[in-house]
Amino acid sequence: MAKPDPGLVFAGSSTVAASTRRLPSRIVQALVQRWRILHALGFEPLSATPRHPSAMSTKTPIRVAVTGAAGQIGYSLLPRIASGDVFGADQPIILQMVEIPVEKAMQALEGVAMELDDCAFPLLHGMELTSDPNEGFKDANWCLLVGSKPRGPGMERGDLIRENGPIFTGQGMAINDNAASDVRVAVVGNPCNTNCLIAMNSAHDVPDERFSAMTRLDQNRAQAQLAARADVATTAVCNTLIWGNHSATQVPDYKNTTIDGRSAAEVIGDLDWLQGDFFKTVQQRGAAIIKARGLSSATSAANGLIDHVRDLVNATPEGEWRSVCVPSDGSYGVSEGLISSFPVRSMGDGSWEIVQGLELDEFLRGRLEATVAELEEERELVSDLLVNAG
Ligand code: NAD
Ligand code: LMR
């Protein structure tokens, strides 16, 4: 009996094969059909097939699963992962791209994969396209959970909670059962803090500290606003800090953020602006983009995720921190177990710590309490989804 075509990746019933993307679709269908028959007859599915066998890196490829890979953020994110922006210029990657089992989404995903192929990225050693999270997360070292519904005009991110929350139960379980033993998870799909909490609680065997959610976009937004106001380059703004929820209650910290080494509050010298326009602009930036584009942020969100993961896999320079939503240990009065944005230092070996000892003024303390109260409310709203909650 003929062996299945090398390079034909079988990854679930509604999946198309990664290496068949250049072929006309009727041939693709025929190959998929043939593979299904072979599979039914006992052939095991193939894992990702090396696409660049002659690539020079001697490192073992890492597997990066991305959900919502055919969506807006996915479109900006995937080429940057494949080009080495996250894991380094010598780290080969296998992309495991997960979408919903709907023909339109899978077809769009096929198109995304064709474009990635057409970039001939030397580091991209394989692609798997699937609608089955168990396949998608198989042996994944990183799972980037983007796939979910974005909000529309007039909505708050929290309004998505009952619709998007259940996605993260199934995905948490699939990560638990299939991912690599060193898996790390970053959640972007909104409301990302509470979705991360759901995924973490659904992945019983994965240590909690492997889960994070993204406020790096908010950090970058705040950094850009402060730089513009102080009329300095963005590089002059350091340790830009967001506390709490990725929502309209988030707390951009003007006190501990520095501009040219001094507190941003001191350099800007205008507390009314910092507590007023600055706060509002950062908190409402997502809504402003939705209003302007008719769609939520995508390029900047993908860029935020690139920064988020890259900074977690590398050691944070001495004296610096990054805004990362991680499980609270009770630091700064944030209820234990909530996924909240904190100043975080990465050790570069996969571990991280919450930076201690920062001081907040009365205004910032009050705002931190409010954003924590919102996170508690969100946790309450999804208590039925927190299957492993203590
Ligand atoms: P999009 O609608 O363009 O794409 C989402 C994709 O996810 C779609 O292709 C959809 O088919 C897919 N999807 C839906 N459910 C899925 C599932 N269960 N498994 C796999 N794929 C699934 O949306 P987008 O603009 O890419 O945004 C995605 C999410 O990211 C939204 O929830 C959005 O609000 C959020 N977001 C978060 C931040 C942040 O800073 N945390 C920033 C921007 C956007
Ligand atoms: C953002 O901050 O841009 C995203 O969370 C999308 C949104 O809904 O605002």
Side-chain angles (χ1 to χ4, degrees), residues 6 74 94 107 112 119 132 138 189 213 221 293 304 307:
I94 294 170
Q107 253 175 24
V112 170
C119 294
D132 177 352
K138 184 105 187 91
R221 286 168 171 165
R293 290 181 82 221
D307 289 348

Side-chain angles (χ1 to χ4, degrees), residues 177-293:
D177 295 347
N178 297 284
S181 58
D182 66 349
V183 67
R184 292 184 181 278
V185 182
V187 180
V188 172
N190 276 321
C192 63
N193 299 58
T194 299
N195 288 337
C196 181
L197 183 70
I198 295 168
M200 184 178 87
N201 276 274
S202 304
H204 303 199
D205 304 325
V206 181
D208 288 357
E209 65 269 18
R210 305 279 188 82
F211 286 81
S212 62
M214 186 171 96
T215 38
R216 184 51 177 268
L217 173 55
D218 310 288
Q219 175 190 310
N220 291 345
R221 286 168 171 165
Q223 184 174 349
Q225 292 299 319
L226 290 171
R229 181 74 180 190
D231 197 17
V232 295
T234 51
T235 47
V237 184
C238 190
N239 288 344
T240 315
L241 178 52
I242 305 292
W243 299 91
N245 200 2
H246 171 64
S247 76
T249 68
Q250 67 182 267
V251 184
D253 182 334
Y254 46 75
K255 190 167 186 294
N256 293 292
T257 299
T258 59
I259 301 175
D260 286 327
R262 289 164 57 216
S263 165
E266 219 180 289
V267 175
I268 302 270
D270 183 348
L271 213 51
D272 283 348
W273 180 81
L274 288 165
Q275 296 177 347
D277 283 353
F278 169 64
F279 244 70
K280 205 161 150 205
T281 302
V282 177
Q283 290 178 329
Q284 297 292 339
R285 190 65 161 188
I289 288 165
I290 291 170
K291 193 165 172 224
R293 290 181 82 221

